[in-house]
Amino acid sequence: MTTIQLIGAILFGLALVHTFAAKSIEILAHRYPRHAGLLHLLGEVEVVFGFWATILIVAIAIVAGGENAIAYAESRQYTEPLFVFVVMVVAASWPVLNAVQRALQALARLAPMRNELALAWLGLALVPLAGSLITEPAAMTLAALTLAPLVFRDGMPERLKYAALGVLFVNVSIGGTLTSYAAPPVLMVAATWGWDSAFMAAQFGWKATLAVLVNATAVCFVLKRHLRPAGASAESGGAAQVPLLVSLIHLGFLAGVVLLAHHPVMFLGLFLLFLGFTQAYQRYQQPLILKEGLLVGFFLAGLVVLGGMQQWWLQPIVSSLAPVALFFGALGLTAITDNAALTYLGSLIDGMSPQAQYMLVAGAVAGGGLTVIANAPNPAGVSLLRRGFQDESIGAVGLLLGALPPTAVAAAAFFL
């Protein structure tokens, strides 16, 4: 353990504490208006890891020199934060969202239940499973925007919001495991271990689907008495009716971004073209969620910088555990570190048995809803849904408690 590694571990721990304290800081902002600006900034969950990553870079500069600090920052891989930012903005554009909502409405009308109950179930089950095709960050964005006026609104009891949020986060985390490219923790190991989409569907996909359906059905049973029609979900916010061609072009942009997910130069170029198109046909648009996307990207980039300093203590833990212990160890460790980082460390271990490989990934994806840092799409959900919670802030303890039951269901599906 070097001095820099020790500093990185301490700052990572402080960032975790800050994450759990963010809601309390947001409450202080209302209590002390004189310092509200600073407290609001520190109370933004999306700012936490970027803030502490900045302190880490400054600390490295002080201890080891500015050149080493810059070299470390530039040695990190930022493809995932950039992709999540881009796919959030594109997926949340009005033509894409309108097309998805129309499709969900059509399916809801076929269901033998109230329209709002069917929509809530589809948002918590079908959309997370669609993440296996469109990637988990895109699924999280579409599910959050669909569910916001139905579930995450005034009048819904706060405890039920956290229960629904826990189900959404867990279902998105496991719902992307039907293919080998959509879930970040799977993507980290797929090429190294030779896991293709057929393998994922056979070993993980059907179990994940079962858990997703159970979780969504259970929470909708609890929510049904409080659900009411959500007319806001169909409103265009002043945008003109979207022609089919415009919707298809937007969906084409989304498909292109997903296909180029591992090539940041390419998908960023496509994104710039997308911005130009939205400006040219502004009458069919709502304001793009650029601020929310940038904040989420900042959060994930900070997690990349801080997480890169944790390999020295995380990897020995992962490599020392037997398969069954590895499952539960990964389940717990995911709550305090990104599950993709955890599986990546596992992919570096030589001679890991197929059973141990399965247990590591199963535990990592099952625990992906426990905290905001557990899975890369979670900050996107927090950014889009926090205004529906008290004090416009999502508490880490509330999320943890809400995610425990669906996590248990997912763990049982993968383990048993």
Side-chain angles (χ1 to χ4, degrees):
M1 181 181 63
T2 66
T3 302
I4 297 299
Q5 288 175 330
L6 176 61
I7 292 172
I10 292 172
L11 292 178
F12 186 77
L14 290 173
L16 288 175
V17 173
H18 188 170
T19 301
F20 278 85
K23 189 173 181 69
S24 299
I25 296 173
E26 192 67 32
I27 293 173
L28 290 176
H30 296 286
R31 188 173 299 173
Y32 300 103
R34 182 179 176 183
H35 305 289
L38 177 61
L39 292 172
H40 275 305
L41 176 66
L42 295 178
E44 294 268 10
V45 173
E46 300 94 322
V47 170
V48 171
F49 276 84
F51 172 78
W52 289 101
T54 302
I55 294 177
L56 173 62
I57 297 301
V58 172
I60 294 174
I62 293 172
V63 173
E67 289 186 0
N68 286 321
I70 293 172
Y72 174 71
E74 291 183 342
S75 71
R76 301 296 90 201
Q77 175 60 257
Y78 299 102
T79 299
E80 186 177 59
L82 289 170
F83 172 74
V84 172
F85 160 64
V86 170
V87 84
M88 273 186 69
V89 176
V90 177
S93 63
W94 174 241
V96 173
L97 182 60
N98 179 251
V100 170
Q101 289 182 343
R102 286 177 180 273
L104 293 178
Q105 284 283 2
L107 291 173
R109 284 193 288 269
L110 298 175
M113 62 185 75
R114 287 171 20 227
N115 183 263
E116 58 271 22
L117 181 58
L119 280 174
W121 188 87
L122 289 169
L124 289 165
L126 181 62
V127 178
L129 287 172
S132 287
L133 297 176
I134 63 174
T135 72
E136 288 185 355
M140 178 69 80
T141 302
L142 291 170
L145 293 173
T146 299
L147 293 168
L150 281 166
V151 179
F152 304 99
R153 53 163 178 78
D154 292 338
M156 180 67 70
E158 201 77 357
R159 59 184 177 81
L160 296 186
K161 294 179 189 176
Y162 279 108
L165 187 70
V167 168
L168 175 62
F169 281 14
V170 172
N171 280 3
V172 168
S173 179
I174 64 178
T177 59
L178 280 73
T179 60
S180 60
Y181 68 88
V186 174
L187 182 64
M188 291 294 112
V189 302
T192 304
W193 292 345
W195 289 7
D196 58 14
S197 292
F199 174 88
M200 290 304 303
Q203 297 297 320
F204 289 86
W206 68 272
K207 303 170 189 176
T209 300
L210 180 63
V212 164
L213 297 180
V214 169
N215 287 337
T217 302
V219 80
C220 283
F221 180 80
V222 176
L223 291 171
K224 66 178 183 179
R225 191 162 58 90
H226 301 275
L227 291 173
R228 65 188 184 202
S233 65
E235 293 175 1
S236 63
Q241 185 173 358
V242 183
L244 177 60
L245 181 59
V246 173
S247 293
L248 291 175
I249 291 173
H250 273 249
L251 290 170
F253 276 117
L254 179 61
V257 169
V258 170
L259 290 172
L260 298 169
H262 313 308
H263 308 282
V265 172
M266 300 298 291
F267 71 66
L268 283 172
L270 190 60
F271 179 63
L272 294 177
L273 184 60
F274 166 81
L275 293 179
F277 182 82
T278 60
Q279 186 66 30
Y281 292 91
Q282 198 167 5
R283 61 187 178 277
Y284 303 126
Q285 308 294 331
Q286 287 180 326
L288 299 174
I289 59 167
L290 294 171
K291 174 190 171 184
E292 293 85 349
L294 285 170
L295 281 173
V296 170
F298 183 57
F299 179 98
L300 293 173
L303 187 56
V304 167
V305 171
L306 279 172
M309 284 286 177
Q310 314 312 314
Q311 182 174 348
W312 65 273
W313 63 270
L314 269 175
Q315 193 166 7
I317 294 175
V318 173
S319 61
S320 66
L321 296 175
V324 174
L326 184 58
F327 176 84
F328 292 102
L331 192 68
L333 286 171
T334 294
I336 60 170
T337 188
D338 178 48
N339 56 9
L342 197 61
T343 58
Y344 171 72
L345 294 177
S347 72
L348 300 178
I349 300 171
D350 293 328
M352 182 176 281
S353 69
Q355 185 185 11
Q357 293 172 355
Y358 172 87
M359 290 296 188
L360 173 63
V361 175
V365 297
L370 292 171
T371 60
V372 67
I373 68 170
N375 194 32
N378 292 358
V382 169
S383 180
L384 296 172
L385 293 174
R386 60 186 175 84
R387 290 180 183 83
F389 287 79
Q390 187 177 356
D391 299 314
E392 295 189 359
S393 178
I394 293 175
V397 175
L399 170 59
L400 178 64
L401 294 175
L404 284 176
T407 299
V409 171
F414 287 129
F415 186 72
L416 300 179

